[in-house]
Amino acid sequence: MTGRPRALITGVTGQDGSYLAELLIAKGYEVHAVIRRSSTFSTGRVEHLYQDVHEEGRALNLHYGDLLDTGSLVSVLGKVEPDEVYNLGAQSHVAVSFQMPEFTADAVAFGTMRLLEAIRQTGRPVRFYQAGSSEMFGKVESPLQNEDTRFHPRSPYAIAKVFAHQMAVFHREAYGMYCANGILFNHESPRRGEVFVTRKITQAVARIAAGRQDHLYLGNLKAKRDWGYAPEYVEAMWRILQQPEPDDFVIATGETHSVEEFAALAFASVGRRWQEHVRYDPRYERPAEVDLLQGDASKAERVLRWKARTTFADLARIMVAADLRAEGLDPDSVMRHD
Ligand code: NAP
Ligand code: GDD
């Protein structure tokens, strides 16, 4: 083992895990991560890190494991002996959680508990980060949500995240473990999963610009979210674990916008009107919706010196540009600059 700090990430193959792995490697960490076995490659977002071999070994070290499998978690913790654990692994799609509540709870709620118990049993002074979500606020009880706002979860996913959040608080209070919760509002990027609404829109905009698609089918356009830029949010995760005492932090931009506004911006960026391409499909409606999320991240700004920088308009443009490139188009010639 080297003298560098060691981090272990669950969920490294996802959007946030890939940005976090890059950030920690750049900060000089020895980075390890848990990946699940699947019949196709799931490592596309981190392939560049895994292939990158340094003097000290690989930039990113991968271990098979699963939040559903206690033995694999115990084994990887024993092998890696991490200083910091970032628990990002989750069935993270809210709509899917209505169809698979048991699996979602197993991965998100029980998975977090398994990992916390496995860390506790190592007896080592590990710092633990839990990837909490603004979905926990659900049917919001105040117009701006902060660390004191009551949770009112509206989906099996959000209920499982509340369990995980409380489990982290419990391990902190009962066993004196260093467990910190991030309560992150929506954050997006070109690496966002294609089934989440922002990426679904920007990918469709690029395909429509390329003449490969005409229409985009969406559900509720009125829902409002506080949308930030993912690379900035993983920086907040790291800062949360560098505090002398474990604590919980809301991470958000402080602005809220509707799905319709995002679609309007994304289509306008290539000189099109969203109304000509977007069709309504009731299958994308959820049994219970979260109508409005808007975060108050003033504690993060004060304590972590963290503040969101990328604007809503820039976020849409960054994502459209990346999807245009993926379609073989040059954003400079396709995108409008007015
Ligand atoms: P994502 O792209 O959906 O990635 C989820 C990751 O979890 C993937 O690496 C996935 O692996 C892994 N995973 C799923 N089930 C697992 C299991 N049973 N055991 C181990 N790993 C498992 O999610 P994300 O957007 O990066 O979000 C990261 C975390 O932050 C999640 O916990 C999410 O719930 C939470 N969060 C996200 C946001 C947001 O706006 N992005 C906001 C608040 C909180 P495979 O590749 O094998 O499927
Ligand atoms: N996915 C999706 N697909 N959502 C749609 C669609 C569609 O076709 N049409 C409308 N929406 C609406 C949803 O009903 C929701 O109100 C909003 O778009 C955002 O949906 P998602 O992008 O799926 O994200 P989310 O807000 O439900 O959940 C994301 O953010 C949470 C943080 O608040 C996920 O990343 C969660 O894992 C995360 O915790």
Side-chain angles (χ1 to χ4, degrees):
M1 290 290 177
T2 64
R4 295 182 290 154
R6 276 187 300 273
L8 178 67
I9 303 172
T10 70
V12 78
T13 54
Q15 170 188 259
D16 290 5
S18 66
Y19 286 121
L20 180 65
E22 279 172 7
L23 178 83
L24 296 178
I25 289 166
K27 287 188 181 295
Y29 279 70
E30 182 180 310
V31 180
H32 295 258
V34 173
I35 56 162
R36 301 193 291 172
R37 191 268 159 185
S38 62
S39 66
T40 52
F41 283 117
S42 60
T43 48
R45 293 185 179 102
V46 290
E47 205 64 49
H48 59 296
L49 302 175
Y50 181 68
Q51 298 304 346
D52 189 11
V53 181
H54 288 251
E55 263 176 40
E56 303 92 349
R58 279 192 193 281
L60 176 63
N61 304 279
L62 300 178
H63 308 264
Y64 280 108
D66 199 304
L67 287 162
L68 271 48
D69 178 0
T70 306
S72 69
L73 301 177
V74 169
S75 160
V76 72
L77 285 167
K79 259 190 270 180
V80 174
E81 298 192 334
D83 302 298
E84 297 175 8
V85 172
Y86 295 85
N87 184 33
L88 313 187
Q91 188 305 90
S92 75
H93 201 283
V94 174
V96 170
S97 80
F98 291 97
Q99 293 177 39
M100 301 179 72
E102 188 178 335
F103 172 75
T104 303
D106 208 354
V108 174
F110 277 55
T112 304
M113 181 172 66
R114 289 183 190 102
L115 186 53
L116 281 164
E117 282 298 298
I119 293 170
R120 182 166 79 88
Q121 283 161 27
T122 67
R124 298 185 61 256
V126 175
R127 292 186 171 207
F128 178 83
Y129 172 84
Q130 169 55 21
S133 166
S134 51
E135 276 290 304
M136 298 189 295
F137 297 122
K139 192 170 164 52
V140 296
E141 303 204 350
S142 64
L144 270 181
Q145 301 89 52
N146 66 20
E147 294 79 5
D148 298 323
T149 306
R150 229 162 45 125
F151 296 143
H152 189 146
R154 300 262 287 167
S155 64
Y157 166 79
I159 292 165
K161 282 287 183 188
V162 172
F163 179 100
H165 175 99
Q166 293 301 152
M167 242 333 140
V169 172
F170 162 73
H171 278 73
R172 182 163 82 206
E173 292 177 354
Y175 307 121
M177 288 168 59
Y178 189 114
C179 299
N181 288 293
I183 305 175
L184 272 56
F185 283 62
N186 299 50
H187 45 280
E188 321 292 309
S189 75
R191 294 188 197 168
R192 184 56 142 152
E194 293 158 8
V195 292
F196 297 96
V197 78
T198 54
R199 185 73 199 292
K200 185 173 167 183
I201 292 169
T202 61
Q203 200 169 52
V205 165
R207 285 190 183 145
I208 289 167
R212 296 195 182 104
Q213 187 175 325
D214 286 328
H215 296 117
L216 163 65
Y217 291 85
L218 295 175
N220 178 12
L221 299 182
K222 300 294 171 208
K224 295 179 98 174
R225 293 287 183 275
D226 179 328
W227 273 300
Y229 186 41
E232 293 168 10
Y233 284 50
V234 301
E235 168 79 27
M237 294 177 189
W238 176 76
R239 288 187 186 209
I240 287 172
L241 281 202
Q242 308 317 306
Q243 298 311 301
E245 298 299 327
D247 203 350
D248 306 330
F249 293 92
V250 158
I251 302 296
T253 70
E255 278 186 32
T256 191
H257 297 277
S258 66
V259 173
E260 183 179 306
E261 283 175 81
F262 188 89
L265 272 179
F267 276 96
S269 74
V270 297
R272 294 185 183 249
R273 295 181 69 242
W274 69 271
Q275 295 90 335
E276 280 161 27
H277 301 282
V278 173
R279 298 275 184 275
Y280 175 65
D281 187 336
R283 284 177 301 178
Y284 296 114
E285 296 276 359
R286 297 166 182 187
E289 178 63 281
V290 171
D291 297 321
L292 166 83
L293 292 172
Q294 185 168 8
D296 165 12
S298 49
K299 178 176 171 186
E301 191 174 348
R302 199 177 61 250
V303 179
L304 305 177
R305 303 258 172 265
W306 181 92
K307 196 170 166 32
R309 295 185 303 274
T310 303
T311 65
F312 179 65
D314 285 345
L315 177 64
R317 291 185 69 85
I318 290 168
M319 294 176 69
V320 169
D323 280 322
L324 286 170
R325 273 185 223 104
E327 290 297 321
L329 297 174
D330 175 10
D332 288 338
S333 53
V334 179
M335 290 180 80
R336 305 262 304 240
H337 295 283
D338 46 350

